[in-house]
Amino acid sequence: MLSMATEGKKQPKIVLTKPFSLEVETDSEPSYGYRAPNLIRRLLSLLKNVRPGADLTNLQLPPLFYFPKSQLQCYGESVYSTTSNSNLLNKCNNEQTPLERFTSVVAWSISTTRPTSFGVAPYNPILGETHHVSKGNLNVLLEQVSTNPPVSALHATDDKENIEMIWCQQAVPKFRGTSIEAEVHGKRVLNLRNHGETYEMNCPRLSIRILPVPGVSWAGIVNIRCKETGLVAELSYESSYSFLGLGGNSKLIKGKILDSSSFNVLYDIDGQWDRTVNVKDTKSGKVKVIYDAKEVISGLKAPIVKDAEGVWQTESALIWGELTQAIISNDWEKAKEAKQGVEERQSKTLKERETRGERWTPKNFLVSYSNESGLDCDCSPINTWVPAAPIIAP
């Protein structure tokens, strides 16, 4: 269910839980080892004084509303957590033609869409929090580079395949009366250095329906572009519901791949991100499966601490370890104390920094903003390669 390590008797635990996988919606127990109590009535009570359109970014939730991991871990898991026999990134790199590589990048982008659970949310990362995990030759490093606005940065490299990934994104949840819409600003960049190709993309928004029928789904438009080849893709994450929101399917994907120089549609895309996604050649009519969720994101296991002494003090699994363990154990009093402990230590650190007149800067990224709102930002990694991590994803 989870992986734990300690750094001495008085040090907090390093607690890692299973990533979200397909079993989260089919098994009696979610894949991350914890099932939240029925939260519909509590959620309605929590939001009864929140006006529609309100920004929920800084809304403080009690422990009952959290699932046991940080948002940084969620972002990281969508990159490093796949089944042992699946490696979509390597496939992107090893395809022979630009169109084949682009199609594989589309499939990889879909694989970063993961199941989630209604009524609970990840912890808001604290300033300077990091998450560092390796899977094979892929080393992944995340850092919370800002909390006002909240911006998360990711850098991942595979020196064997000569692949680099850079993300800079900010989740902005807003209350819409009968739902909460969490848009993710920023961009994701994938570099296939052996081919001199750069792919830029965004990600869908998370839609949490409260009424009439509670549920959670991914929605919106994802655009993928390779400027070197001129190939582009447009994916639409859609939902289909019957009367009053009953039944239907909330995991549909439709889209197309086209050549931007001629505007010719090369492939039509259709499927479900939690099952299979197909492409249809518009000339030949041939249909092939490019993504099978069961082969990629089912049966995922928790990362393992390989070197406890090498884990940074800023590591998500260490900062939130006591809270995570308390939530999994349904010990809500201890969870409340653990959450307050993290908040108090963070507040103390900020005050001490202000007293010394110090300005905090990220340790692993350079961050720039293109407007005053902070919604358009760019994160550049300081180092060319991400080092191997003390935490390993199986």
Side-chain angles (χ1 to χ4, degrees):
M1 181 177 69
L2 53 83
S3 173
M4 290 191 299
T6 60
E7 293 186 340
K9 295 181 180 179
K10 296 184 179 180
Q11 293 296 324
K13 294 178 179 178
I14 304 170
V15 184
L16 294 148
T17 58
K18 287 184 179 181
F20 279 119
S21 63
L22 292 182
E23 291 81 2
V24 71
E25 296 189 6
T26 58
D27 288 350
S28 59
E29 182 183 9
S31 62
Y32 57 89
Y34 163 74
R35 177 169 294 282
N38 189 320
L39 297 177
I40 297 175
R41 183 175 297 176
R42 293 181 176 87
L43 188 61
L44 290 173
S45 175
L46 182 70
L47 296 173
K48 67 180 180 181
N49 295 321
V50 180
R51 294 182 179 180
D55 189 337
L56 303 181
T57 301
N58 297 314
L59 180 66
Q60 294 297 319
L61 299 174
L64 189 64
F65 288 91
Y66 287 113
F67 59 73
K69 62 182 74 226
S70 169
Q71 181 66 67
L72 275 190
Q73 292 171 279
C74 294
Y75 288 145
E77 287 172 357
S78 66
V79 172
Y80 63 71
S81 287
T82 58
T83 54
S84 57
N85 59 348
S86 170
N87 198 325
L88 293 180
L89 273 179
N90 284 5
K91 186 176 181 181
C92 295
N93 199 40
N94 295 330
E95 297 285 15
Q96 297 301 309
T97 70
L99 180 56
E100 289 174 339
R101 289 193 293 275
F102 189 88
T103 304
S104 292
V105 170
V106 171
W108 172 79
S109 175
I110 295 171
S111 78
T112 64
T113 305
R114 302 299 173 93
T116 186
S117 185
F118 175 80
V120 285
Y123 318 137
N124 292 325
I126 66 173
L127 188 64
E129 179 180 330
T130 59
H131 186 48
H132 188 198
V133 178
S134 294
K135 182 181 178 68
N137 295 306
L138 180 66
N139 302 317
V140 183
L141 174 62
L142 299 98
E143 183 175 11
Q144 190 68 15
V145 297
S146 173
T147 54
N148 187 25
V151 178
S152 304
L154 176 148
H155 187 209
T157 58
D158 184 325
D159 56 358
K160 182 179 179 180
E161 294 291 333
N162 210 16
I163 293 174
E164 180 183 41
M165 202 182 311
I166 303 170
W167 292 6
C168 185
Q169 51 194 40
Q170 172 192 358
V172 182
K174 291 189 176 181
F175 183 51
R176 301 299 186 188
T178 60
S179 68
I180 297 172
E181 302 291 328
E183 296 186 0
V184 181
H185 299 277
K187 64 181 179 180
R188 301 175 172 184
V189 177
L190 174 65
N191 294 317
L192 302 182
R193 290 170 168 169
N194 289 343
H195 303 284
E197 295 172 353
T198 299
Y199 301 81
E200 293 186 0
M201 64 202 77
N202 61 315
C203 63
R205 71 178 185 275
L206 188 64
S207 179
I208 304 168
R209 301 182 315 280
I210 303 171
L211 296 172
V213 178
V216 59
S217 61
W218 294 100
I221 302 297
V222 171
N223 295 297
I224 306 171
R225 176 182 297 274
C226 178
K227 58 184 179 181
E228 290 81 10
T229 64
L231 295 171
V232 298
E234 181 179 288
L235 304 178
S236 178
Y237 284 72
E238 303 176 356
S239 300
S240 64
Y241 297 107
S242 56
F243 182 63
L244 294 179
L246 299 172
N249 192 329
S250 61
K251 303 176 180 65
L252 301 176
I253 284 186
K254 297 182 182 297
K256 57 189 176 183
I257 297 175
L258 55 89
D259 184 342
S260 62
S261 63
S262 63
F263 297 101
N264 289 332
V265 176
L266 307 176
Y267 287 129
D268 288 321
I269 302 171
D270 183 69
Q272 297 179 211
W273 62 260
D274 67 327
R275 295 186 182 180
T276 59
V277 178
N278 306 316
V279 293
K280 180 180 180 180
D281 191 313
T282 56
K283 286 187 177 180
S284 68
K286 182 179 179 180
V287 177
K288 65 177 180 179
V289 176
I290 64 168
Y291 178 67
D292 187 333
K294 185 177 181 181
E295 293 181 357
V296 180
I297 60 170
S298 63
L300 303 180
K301 298 179 180 180
I304 300 169
V305 180
K306 182 179 180 181
D307 176 17
E309 293 184 356
V311 174
W312 297 343
Q313 292 299 307
T314 54
E315 166 61 43
S316 298
L318 181 61
I319 289 175
W320 302 103
E322 292 184 2
L323 175 57
T324 296
Q325 184 61 58
I327 290 176
I328 292 173
S329 303
N330 291 321
D331 188 338
W332 302 114
E333 190 61 34
K334 189 173 182 179
K336 182 179 179 180
E337 294 175 359
K339 181 174 181 291
Q340 289 177 342
V342 173
E343 294 169 347
E344 289 172 358
R345 287 190 293 272
Q346 173 73 349
S347 178
K348 180 181 179 182
T349 299
L350 293 176
K351 288 180 180 179
E352 291 175 348
R353 189 177 296 127
E354 290 177 359
T355 301
R356 295 191 299 266
E358 296 179 355
R359 181 180 179 182
W360 184 86
T361 56
K363 291 181 172 57
N364 304 286
F365 296 88
L366 299 175
V367 184
S368 61
Y369 299 94
S370 58
N371 60 31
E372 294 182 358
S373 68
L375 294 181
D376 295 322
C377 64
D378 184 67
C379 301
S380 301
I382 294 175
N383 298 310
T384 303
W385 300 98
V386 178
I391 299 174
I392 305 300

